[in-house]
Amino acid sequence: GENVEQHPSTLSVQEGDSAVIKCTYSDSASNYFPWYKQELGKRPQLIIDIRSNVGEKKDQRIAVTLNKTAKHFSLHITETQPEDSAVYFCAASDGGFQKLVFGTGTRLLVSP
Amino acid sequence: SAVISQKPSRDICQRGTSLTIQCQVDSQVTMMFWYRQQPGQSLTLIATANQGSEATYESGFVIDKFPISRPNLTFSTLTVSNMSPEDSSIYLCSVAPPAYNEQFFGPGTRLTVL
């Protein structure tokens, strides 16, 4: 089955810096790669996703890149703000946005 | 977005007992998913619940331990049976309604087993 690895496990940055979180997946059939943000005590919420027919996608300060050949995808957050502090999870699916396999999570701390 | 509610929001239970968690969605969906999130950990899919058929369980999860019901297209229950402290986790249901291209999560049920 699919296996998703995520690095780093923790990431501390200063406000205004960029943050990059990387994930690798094992199943070449995976075609959908979402990123979820989970604040303390809250449910995971989708912040951006990408499908296998696209190499990059941007939404304001957030971008995701996908390298299908290397089976890895990354989340890029620019101009970080303290409210970006949360745990971020990558995921992969070979069934569209249905059955998701999650990475281990990255705790991002943005210091003012 | 899809509106998902779960009951209870949290519970403290004694080992050896069972707890049933309810998940209600505001729209009809074919599949509902149940995840477990152990303290400080990631989300692990327990099973996929389809209306009118048996749930499909992931490796490491069995029906005797986590029986699931799916009586209609907006509701599902997950039972955690014969609980032990290792079952202490947050249990989340999720759906991917056809009108939206994403999976939404419920607020979760925080379970503590003593």
Side-chain angles (χ1 to χ4, degrees):
Chain A
E2 175 66 276
N3 182 54
V4 179
E5 296 187 355
Q6 183 172 346
H7 300 280
S9 57
T10 60
L11 180 58
S12 294
V13 300
Q14 293 290 318
E15 183 177 1
D17 288 349
S18 296
V20 179
I21 304 171
K22 298 182 179 181
C23 290
T24 60
Y25 62 98
S26 61
D27 188 352
S28 58
S30 288
N31 55 22
Y32 175 66
F33 307 92
W35 286 88
Y36 283 84
K37 175 183 181 182
Q38 187 175 33
E39 297 177 353
L40 188 63
K42 302 287 185 62
R43 72 188 81 188
Q45 293 199 306
L46 181 75
I47 56 171
I48 196 168
D49 58 11
I50 192 168
R51 298 186 182 275
S52 59
N53 58 348
V54 176
E56 183 176 2
K57 184 177 179 180
K58 286 185 179 180
D59 183 3
Q60 299 183 334
R61 296 187 296 110
I62 295 173
V64 57
T65 59
L66 171 65
N67 183 326
K68 287 171 53 181
T69 303
K71 294 184 194 170
H72 65 70
F73 55 113
S74 300
L75 177 71
H76 304 253
I77 305 175
T78 59
E79 301 174 20
T80 54
Q81 302 167 2
E83 50 265 39
D84 294 328
S85 297
V87 179
Y88 292 80
F89 293 100
C90 63
S93 169
D94 65 357
F97 41 87
Q98 300 289 348
K99 177 180 167 180
L100 299 175
V101 177
F102 282 84
T104 48
T106 296
R107 185 173 301 277
L108 174 65
L109 176 62
V110 182
S111 302
Chain B
S1 65
V3 177
I4 307 171
S5 61
Q6 286 186 233
K7 291 181 181 179
S9 59
R10 59 178 62 224
D11 206 343
I12 301 174
C13 301
Q14 297 296 320
R15 68 170 68 211
T17 62
S18 298
L19 177 72
T20 295
I21 302 167
Q22 299 177 6
C23 179
Q24 179 76 51
V25 190
D26 68 338
S27 59
Q28 294 185 339
V29 292
T30 304
M31 288 185 280
M32 296 179 76
F33 306 93
W34 287 98
Y35 289 84
R36 181 176 73 182
Q37 187 172 29
Q38 294 177 301
Q41 303 295 313
S42 183
L43 290 85
T44 302
L45 182 64
I46 297 171
T48 302
N50 295 297
Q51 195 269 335
S53 64
E54 292 276 338
T56 303
Y57 289 83
E58 297 301 310
S59 176
F61 298 96
V62 295
I63 187 171
D64 289 347
K65 177 67 176 178
F66 297 101
I68 286 172
S69 77
R70 183 78 201 277
N72 59 53
L73 292 173
T74 62
F75 186 80
S76 178
T77 67
L78 170 76
T79 299
V80 186
S81 303
N82 188 24
M83 289 183 287
S84 67
E86 292 70 36
D87 294 318
S88 297
S89 293
I90 298 172
Y91 293 86
L92 301 106
C93 65
S94 72
V95 300
Y100 305 94
N101 290 325
E102 68 177 271
Q103 191 169 135
F104 296 94
F105 285 85
T109 296
R110 182 180 295 273
L111 170 62
T112 301
V113 184
L114 303 178

